[in-house]
């Protein structure tokens, strides 16, 4: 099992993480706006996360921490 | 569970001011990760350019010096010659390095100055809102090539790696990209090798990183990466252009 | 006992810098000062110092910027056109408060001008040739001995105030040979430089050398800090020679090489019963206003003599503030004001009611 945590206040809603997640479990939270006015990214189904850290690797803002 | 991925220590824990999806952020992190892994933060001095990353001295935890536009390689030379045992790097954009700073980068390289240059090529002037850069592609629209870059008016784009690889003082020149996870890992390996060769006292090392500029290209971050892959990568071929460590 | 040598000015500049502990020099060839680089190239290699011939004066001043950031004593030298190229770097250095010594051996201008001596860069150096509100401490030696002493002094002043300092000479000073007596030991004022970017060694927050402050209030506060420093320099570092001014009929003011000519005029005038005084600014900035204020009403008139079309004369007029007349005599193109021409004007002023 792996765990991914997002510093939602740092996210700029660029969407790059959404593209690269091999499990397609990362998405921008349409129902949430962070202080900067962006829809922050988040994981929909943590159980499917394999901890590959693709999302964190392509994130330009160090929003994502990955544990495994 | 243990942490598999987190912010490197050499990268200051504060928000970056870069536009959403701008891949400068990735490149900053790669440099910081390499500094952590080589354990050199305490003896590294970085030089910031003029451009979008003019204040990246706020984002690196090592000592930093901000340089006039194009002069980072000269400032770095002054630092290098003063601190023989330190690690010195410059972080520069395409306007800084390949336009106003061409003489400085050429001569730092041909002097074999023991510094590492991270050269970010996003084919546009970002900070000043979208003007043509030396690396702007033929046909590419910018605020100073409003009808597309035309060689007969605006000249041809500069291939920096090819240019600098002819200089003997340059010991390692590679062009990489950060458009996908695999290339990001290769980019990091190249940056690490550049710093390692500097540590080994070999000579001038430079890594050119193809990067996006969603705001001034007028595309969203995901489309920007696609545009980079379809337009920049064919023109700016990835690969190693100089590597004396192989000899 | 110190040693007395016959030496060329440009070489004295380099020797003085080495004696002041300078081990880093970055330069570029330009007549009439390139012997400074020759001397540094040889000596630095012999003593394990750093000499770099840069690709341009622009690169050279930025290499100096880098070295100064690490706290090293560092120098560059050039002449007029080269100094124009360095102006951006000088403005950055003033803002970033980087100590350095910049030698300007002035040649006639404007443009490529000529290679003969002149004083036509007073405005560029004293009024700040770069952008922004800043000041450089500017020393104007008029002999090889004084050149040596002021170069050593310049390094101490630069470190003490964290400010670029200029030695403003001219082609004569650089090219002529004179006797110079070097001390056995130089006075080197060591200062701590906790701000230097030498690597954190993981023991402190990082240091940043920068000259950009995006927020207006922050940059204004920085400007106010610089201005306060300049007031302190004005109060403590002004240097001037007042010669024969008490009760003088005419007071001539000149600096550098021209002041030597005026001293001969003083002897000639004395034979004709005309008492001529000399006010010789040694620091062009801070400008010795007090000397002019002190003698403002003493003579029948002031005469400012320069190898230019008239630049320092403006500061003289400002200092005298209308209390007396200030005539000007100057030569350009590399020509030198002659004793005869100066004497003629002195006679005319002395004859005024």
């Amino acid at each position: 099992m792996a765990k991914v945590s997002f510093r939602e206040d740092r996210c700029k809603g660029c969407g790059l993480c959404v593209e690269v997640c091999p499990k397609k479990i990362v998405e921008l939270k349409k129902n949430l706006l962070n202080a900067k006015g962006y829809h922050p990214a988040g994981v929909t189904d943590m159980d499917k996360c394999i901890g590959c850290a693709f999302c964190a690797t392509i994130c330009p803002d160090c929003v994502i921490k990955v544990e495994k | 569970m243990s942490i598999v991925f987190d912010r490197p220590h050499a990268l200051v824990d504060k928000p970056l001011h870069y536009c959403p999806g701008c891949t400068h952020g990735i490149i900053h992190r790669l440099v910081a990760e390499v500094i952590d892994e080589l354990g050199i933060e305490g003896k590294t001095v970085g030089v910031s350019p003029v451009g979008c990353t003019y204040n990246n001295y706020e984002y690196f935890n090592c000592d930093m010096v901000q340089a006039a536009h194009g002069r980072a390689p000269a400032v770095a030379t002054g630092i290098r010659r003063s601190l023989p045992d330190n690690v010195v790097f410059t972080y520069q954009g395409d306007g800084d390095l390949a336009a106003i700073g061409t003489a400085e980068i050429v001569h730092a390289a041909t002097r074999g100055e023991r510094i590492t240059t991270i050269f970010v090529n996003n084919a546009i002037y970002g900070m000043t809102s979208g003007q043509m850069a030396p690396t702007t592609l033929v046909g590419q629209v910018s605020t100073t090539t409003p009808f597309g870059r035309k060689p007969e008016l605006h000249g041809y784009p500069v291939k920096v790696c090819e240019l600098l690889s002819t200089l003997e003082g340059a010991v390692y020149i590679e062009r990489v990209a950060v458009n996908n996870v695999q290339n990001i890992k290769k980019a990091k390996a190249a940056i690490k090798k550049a710093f390692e060769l500097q540590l080994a006292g070999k000579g001038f090392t430079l890594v050119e990183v193809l990067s996006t500029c969603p705001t001034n290209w007028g595309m969203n971050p995901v489309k920007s990466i696609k545009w980079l892959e379809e337009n920049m990568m064919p023109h700016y071929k990835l690969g190693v252009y100089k590597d004396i460590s192989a000899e | 006992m110190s040693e007395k040598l016959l030496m060329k000015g440009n070489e004295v500049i380099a020797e003085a810098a080495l004696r002041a502990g300078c081990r880093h020099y970055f330069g570029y060839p330009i007549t009439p000062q390139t012997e400074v680089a020759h001397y540094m190239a040889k000596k630095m290699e012999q003593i394990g110092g750093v000499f770099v011939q840069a690709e341009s004066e622009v690169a050279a001043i930025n290499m100096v910027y880098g070295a100064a950031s690490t706290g090293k004593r560092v120098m560059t030298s050039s002449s007029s056109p080269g100094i124009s190229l360095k102006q951006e770097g000088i403005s950055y250095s003033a803002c970033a408060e980087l100590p350095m010594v910049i030698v300007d051996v002035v040649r006639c201008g404007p443009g490529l001008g000529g290679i003969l001596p002149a004083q036509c860069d007073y405005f560029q150096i004293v009024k700040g040739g770069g952008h922004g509100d800043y000041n450089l401490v500017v020393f104007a030696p008029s002999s090889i001995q004084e050149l040596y002493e002021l170069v050593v002094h310049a390094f101490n002043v630069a470190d003490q105030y964290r400010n670029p300092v200029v030695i403003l000479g001219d082609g004569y000073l650089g090219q002529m040979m004179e006797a110079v007596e070097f001390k056995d030991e130089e006075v080197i004022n060591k200062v701590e430089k906790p701000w230097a970017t030498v690597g954190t060694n993981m023991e402190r927050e990082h240091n940043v050398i920068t000259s950009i402050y995006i927020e207006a209030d922050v940059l204004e506060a920085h400007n106010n800090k610089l201005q306060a420093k300049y007031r302190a320099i004005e109060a403590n570092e002004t240097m001037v020679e007042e010669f024969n001014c008490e009760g003088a009929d005419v007071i001539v003011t000149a600096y550098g090489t021209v002041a030597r000519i005026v001293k001969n005029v003083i002897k000639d005038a004395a034979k004709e019963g005309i008492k001529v005084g000399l006010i010789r600014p040694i620091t062009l900035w801070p400008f010795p206003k007090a000397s002019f204020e002190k003698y403002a009403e003493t003579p029948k008139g002031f005469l400012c003599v320069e190898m230019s079309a008239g630049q320092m004369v403006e500061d003289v007029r400002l200092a005298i503030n209308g209390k007396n007349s200030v005539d000007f005599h100057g030569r350009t193109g590399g020509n030198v004001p002659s004793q005869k021409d100066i004497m003629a004007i002195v006679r005319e002023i002395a004859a005024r009611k």
Side-chain angles (χ1 to χ4, degrees):
Chain A
M1 241 297 280
K3 182 166 160 296
V4 188
S5 48
F6 292 75
R7 294 178 69 165
E8 291 180 338
D9 58 326
R10 290 280 176 86
C11 179
K12 295 172 184 168
C14 75
L16 294 183
C17 54
V18 174
E19 291 299 309
V20 299
C21 173
K23 294 296 173 189
K24 292 301 165 205
I25 54 170
V26 178
E27 67 172 30
L28 300 185
K29 296 181 176 172
K30 288 295 174 234
N31 53 19
L32 185 64
L33 282 179
N34 68 11
K36 288 185 178 139
Y38 296 117
H39 294 297
V43 163
T44 51
D45 187 348
M46 196 62 82
D47 300 341
K48 292 200 179 113
C49 176
I50 57 171
C52 68
F54 275 21
C55 55
T57 302
I58 204 158
C59 172
D61 291 280
C62 287
V63 169
I64 305 168
K65 186 161 82 175
V66 182
E67 292 158 284
K68 210 169 157 184
Chain B
M1 284 208 285
S2 63
I3 295 177
V4 170
F5 193 101
D6 200 0
R7 182 186 52 77
H9 181 271
L11 199 64
V12 175
D13 184 5
K14 69 190 293 188
L16 304 181
H17 71 282
Y18 304 122
C19 305
C22 165
T23 49
H24 265 308
I26 301 172
I27 302 163
H28 281 47
R29 192 194 70 236
L30 297 182
V31 172
E33 284 171 356
V34 164
I35 288 174
D36 278 10
E37 286 163 26
L38 296 175
I40 53 173
E41 183 189 313
K43 63 175 187 174
T44 297
V45 182
V47 182
S48 308
V50 167
C52 286
T53 66
Y54 78 92
N55 64 333
N56 68 6
Y57 52 75
E58 290 181 26
Y59 303 138
F60 291 111
N61 264 317
C62 57
D63 277 353
M64 294 294 290
V65 177
Q66 198 280 326
H69 196 29
R71 316 310 173 192
V75 171
T77 298
I79 297 167
R80 157 53 66 226
R81 298 303 185 105
S82 303
L83 304 171
D85 305 324
N86 283 52
V87 176
V88 183
F89 74 91
T90 75
Y91 188 108
Q92 300 175 253
D94 39 38
D96 195 83
L97 181 137
I100 190 170
T102 316
E104 278 75 11
I105 197 67
V106 164
H107 284 278
T110 205
R111 277 196 306 271
E113 216 61 60
R114 270 189 313 111
I115 61 175
T116 296
T117 289
I118 307 300
F119 165 45
V120 178
N121 173 3
N122 60 7
I124 199 99
Y125 277 49
M127 171 79 151
T128 43
S129 71
Q131 295 74 26
M132 175 182 81
T135 49
T136 293
L137 299 173
V138 172
Q140 186 179 343
V141 171
S142 76
T143 49
T144 46
T145 58
F147 309 108
R149 182 175 192 169
K150 301 183 178 66
E152 64 278 18
L153 291 177
H154 315 114
Y156 295 88
V158 180
K159 292 181 175 172
V160 169
C161 283
E162 292 82 340
L163 182 76
L164 296 179
S165 60
T166 65
L167 302 170
E168 284 168 67
V171 297
Y172 177 67
I173 305 269
E174 180 167 2
R175 179 181 292 126
V176 298
V178 285
N179 57 312
N180 60 40
V181 174
Q182 293 73 14
N183 278 348
I184 290 171
K185 292 185 170 161
K186 286 190 200 137
K188 177 175 173 176
I191 292 169
K192 190 167 191 176
K193 181 165 183 176
F195 273 89
E196 281 164 342
L197 284 169
Q198 179 186 152
L199 281 165
K202 292 290 186 229
F204 176 79
T205 58
L206 176 140
V207 176
E208 176 178 348
V209 189
L210 301 186
S211 187
T212 61
C213 182
T215 298
N216 287 299
W217 290 358
M219 307 165 208
N220 73 43
V222 172
K223 283 205 183 76
S224 301
I225 286 197
K226 210 156 259 38
W227 188 86
L228 182 143
E229 286 162 352
E230 288 157 6
N231 298 278
M232 288 182 71
M233 290 173 91
H235 187 77
Y236 299 110
K237 302 233 173 349
L238 306 188
V240 175
Y241 287 83
K242 189 76 175 292
D243 185 358
I244 62 132
S245 66
E247 281 137 34
Chain C
M1 236 307 282
S2 60
E3 41 179 339
K4 196 159 192 175
L5 298 167
L6 185 63
M7 268 180 93
K8 181 180 247 194
N10 282 332
E11 289 172 353
V12 167
I13 291 169
E15 180 58 28
L18 295 170
R19 287 169 175 268
C22 169
R23 290 296 177 271
H24 294 77
Y25 174 87
F26 304 88
Y28 188 84
I30 183 165
T31 303
Q33 59 76 54
T34 319
E35 291 87 350
V36 181
H38 301 170
Y39 196 91
M40 283 299 198
K42 186 187 288 181
K43 289 279 185 169
M44 286 298 195
E45 204 164 324
Q46 289 168 336
I47 60 172
V50 166
F51 165 82
V52 177
Q53 181 178 323
E55 57 270 29
S56 72
E57 288 93 344
V58 176
I61 189 69
N62 280 285
M63 291 177 188
V64 168
Y65 188 98
S69 299
T70 72
K72 298 294 182 193
R73 285 197 154 191
V74 55
M75 182 170 91
T76 185
S77 64
S78 188
S79 174
S80 309
I83 295 292
S84 293
L85 287 173
K86 292 180 194 278
Q87 288 303 326
E88 184 198 35
I90 290 172
S91 169
Y92 275 59
S93 301
C95 186
E97 299 193 84
L98 290 174
M100 61 184 65
V101 173
I102 300 158
V103 176
D104 180 5
V105 181
V106 178
R107 63 191 252 173
C108 45
L112 194 48
I115 56 169
L116 293 171
Q119 296 181 322
C120 50
D121 299 349
Y122 178 94
F123 284 155
Q124 175 180 50
I125 290 298
V126 175
K127 298 300 172 183
H131 55 287
D133 294 299
Y134 71 91
N135 284 105
L136 308 174
V137 183
V138 181
F139 292 110
S142 73
S143 71
I144 301 296
Q145 181 68 29
E146 191 176 41
L147 176 61
Y148 147 59
E149 289 160 4
L150 287 176
V151 166
V152 175
H153 181 54
F155 278 99
N156 286 333
V157 170
D159 272 349
Q160 182 185 345
Y161 293 94
R162 268 190 76 176
N163 211 73
V165 174
V166 175
I167 298 291
L168 191 67
D170 60 54
Y172 287 112
L173 211 58
Q175 291 298 328
M176 73 181 175
M177 294 180 85
E178 259 183 348
V180 55
E181 201 164 342
F182 292 111
K183 298 192 190 68
D184 296 333
E185 271 300 302
E186 297 301 342
V187 172
I188 296 180
N189 303 338
K190 276 267 173 269
V191 291
E192 287 309 309
K193 297 182 178 177
W195 46 266
T197 50
V198 292
T200 65
N201 222 9
M202 308 305 276
E203 291 158 357
R204 59 166 167 73
E205 291 293 309
H206 71 175
N207 283 338
V208 173
I209 297 293
T210 182
S211 66
I212 184 161
Y213 302 87
I214 281 291
E215 296 90 11
D217 291 344
V218 177
L219 183 51
E220 182 164 48
H222 185 67
N223 268 284
N224 294 339
K225 177 186 169 199
L226 294 178
Q227 289 301 318
K229 172 166 70 171
Y230 301 144
R231 299 296 82 75
I233 295 173
E234 280 170 340
N236 304 312
E237 304 304 332
T238 304
M239 291 171 70
V240 64
E241 178 189 2
E242 295 169 7
F243 179 78
N244 208 35
C245 290
E246 288 304 330
D249 303 314
V250 180
I251 292 182
V252 182
T253 178
Y255 68 92
T257 309
V258 176
R260 303 165 70 124
I261 300 167
V262 172
K263 285 208 169 155
N264 293 337
V265 169
I266 289 172
K267 288 187 204 119
D268 295 349
K271 292 177 198 138
E272 297 181 19
I274 303 171
K275 181 166 185 184
V276 176
L278 165 68
I279 296 177
R280 176 174 76 92
I282 299 168
T283 53
L284 297 181
W285 194 87
F287 189 72
K289 290 189 280 257
S291 299
F292 292 97
E293 285 153 2
K294 185 186 344 177
Y295 294 109
E297 286 156 323
T298 302
K300 292 189 177 152
F302 284 79
L303 171 61
C304 177
V305 185
E306 297 172 70
M307 289 195 286
S308 75
Q311 297 186 20
M312 182 174 81
V313 63
E314 292 192 4
D315 279 332
V316 174
R317 286 181 176 134
L318 278 174
I320 290 174
N321 204 8
K323 291 189 183 118
N324 211 323
S325 64
V326 180
D327 287 36
F328 170 74
H329 174 62
R331 299 297 298 273
T332 61
N335 283 321
V336 185
S338 70
Q339 264 173 249
K340 190 167 64 57
D341 291 348
I342 299 170
M343 191 61 217
I345 302 169
V346 160
R347 277 195 209 96
E348 186 269 317
I349 295 173
R352 290 178 191 162
K353 288 287 161 292

